[in-house]
Amino acid sequence: MVIKKRRLIKKVNKQGTCQNTFLKRTTSIERSLNMIAGAFYIPKDNKLKPLGEDAHFICAEEQTIGVADGVGGWARKGVDAGKYARELMANAVCAVEDQPEGSVDLKMVLNEAFLNTEARGSSTACILTIKGHCLHAVNVGDSGFVVIREGKIIYQSPVQQHRFNSPYQLGNTADSPSLAEEFEVVVEAGDIVVAGTDGLFDNLHPAEIEDIVSLCLRQRNMPELLAWTMAKVAREKSLNEWTDSPFAMAAYDAGVEHLGGKYDDITVIVAYILSPDLF
């Protein structure tokens, strides 16, 4: 099958920029739950790569979101893997828009995005969509998501890695989309989905994510403000040399010496799951 290549030119958020998109209701026989989503991205401070190595999108029409994290190891070869991640996510948006309305095949989206990405480098990828009362996801690597209900995480996606700090990744001389894991999680109105790159999950424990969500909900914050708050806390933890971070604990289990947080690009997308009656 020949897949026609189509480029999408998309502005990438600068440091400290919020993205807020209200996702529209899909038209289907079964009235689907809906998402309202917002994002926040904090790249590492690097004058040579001001856009960092993360990328993300929120596709309003198809209720689909995605995050990607360019693998930093390519810098040793003089390659900015952030370009690969951004092109991969832009191509994912094109693939999503080519899908039948209200019926996004995430594995097909990921495969088409991969085939159409020509930049050098490699990247993790996690793409999610909502259909009916189920959250569907496809993931390669150590980006991921959690589902929170009544203040508690009821589901967290597993990490795919070859070994400690070496995640599965799409790209040049890397892993194939066929290795991607697919997930289906039943969700309810009132649930919250938090998707992010490893810069989030390497620095915040599940209980810390729950606490931030609970605090922001009490203050009735919109999802973009919750994403901002979570990204800011994760950044503070990443700079703390003494914190007992998830990354430090994983390093200890792998026999690797590492203290404190992990300084990294941090992308957070927060989606509130809402009843279709609200639209």
Side-chain angles (χ1 to χ4, degrees):
M1 178 177 66
V2 177
I3 297 178
K4 294 182 179 179
K5 295 184 177 181
R6 181 159 59 93
R7 291 285 170 261
L8 174 67
I9 300 175
K10 186 180 177 80
K11 293 183 179 179
V12 179
N13 289 350
K14 297 180 180 179
Q15 181 172 358
T17 300
C18 284
Q19 178 182 353
N20 178 29
T21 304
F22 289 82
L23 300 179
K24 300 177 183 179
R25 184 177 63 213
T26 58
T27 55
S28 60
I29 296 175
E30 178 189 10
R31 297 191 69 193
S32 175
L33 293 170
N34 297 276
M35 294 195 293
I36 174 176
F40 198 82
Y41 173 39
I42 307 178
K44 289 186 293 187
D45 186 11
N46 186 335
K47 293 181 180 179
L48 297 178
K49 294 186 287 187
L51 296 178
E53 294 171 332
D54 282 5
H56 68 276
F57 73 86
I58 298 175
C59 186
E61 292 78 9
E62 295 295 342
Q63 300 204 90
T64 304
I65 60 179
V67 295
D69 179 5
V71 177
W74 282 91
R76 293 190 293 271
K77 299 182 179 181
V79 174
D80 178 4
K83 293 181 180 178
Y84 184 93
R86 290 187 289 274
E87 188 178 346
L88 183 71
M89 290 291 94
N91 286 327
V93 172
C94 289
V96 167
E97 291 175 343
D98 285 341
Q99 295 281 301
E101 184 177 359
S103 180
V104 177
D105 184 329
L106 294 182
K107 201 68 178 286
M108 185 177 295
V109 166
L110 185 67
N111 189 63
E112 184 172 336
F114 168 76
L115 291 175
N116 282 302
T117 299
E118 298 176 345
R120 292 188 67 196
S122 60
S123 173
T124 67
C126 183
I127 306 175
L128 306 93
T129 193
I130 191 166
K131 303 177 187 177
H133 290 257
C134 287
L135 181 72
H136 296 260
V138 62
N139 184 66
V140 175
D142 57 3
S143 293
F145 69 97
V146 298
V147 179
I148 299 172
R149 180 174 300 156
E150 297 179 353
K152 297 297 181 182
I153 292 176
I154 63 168
Y155 183 81
Q156 180 166 2
S157 60
V159 170
Q160 281 187 314
Q161 60 181 4
H162 298 288
R163 58 188 180 279
F164 172 70
N165 206 29
S166 179
Y168 284 29
Q169 54 202 265
L170 301 176
N172 309 128
T173 65
D175 300 304
S176 164
S178 64
L179 297 176
E181 289 189 282
E182 295 182 87
F183 308 97
E184 183 176 328
V185 183
V186 177
V187 291
E188 302 175 356
D191 288 352
I192 294 175
V193 178
V194 178
T197 54
D198 65 330
L200 171 67
F201 297 110
D202 280 342
N203 288 295
L204 293 184
H205 292 281
E208 293 173 313
I209 293 175
E210 292 171 346
D211 289 344
I212 295 169
V213 168
S214 295
L215 174 62
C216 289
L217 287 183
R218 287 197 298 271
Q219 297 175 346
R220 298 185 177 182
N221 292 151
M222 296 298 286
E224 70 275 10
L225 186 53
L226 174 48
W228 174 84
T229 302
M230 198 167 295
K232 288 290 188 181
V233 175
R235 169 50 58 90
E236 291 171 2
K237 299 276 287 188
S238 76
L239 298 172
N240 187 330
E241 297 180 357
W242 302 106
T243 185
D244 189 18
S245 69
F247 185 79
M249 295 176 64
Y252 178 83
D253 291 340
V256 177
E257 184 176 352
H258 180 91
L259 298 177
K262 181 190 177 187
Y263 184 57
D264 203 352
D265 302 306
I266 298 170
T267 297
V268 183
I269 300 180
V270 172
Y272 292 175
I273 306 299
L274 304 177
S275 166
D277 297 330
L278 296 177
F279 287 74

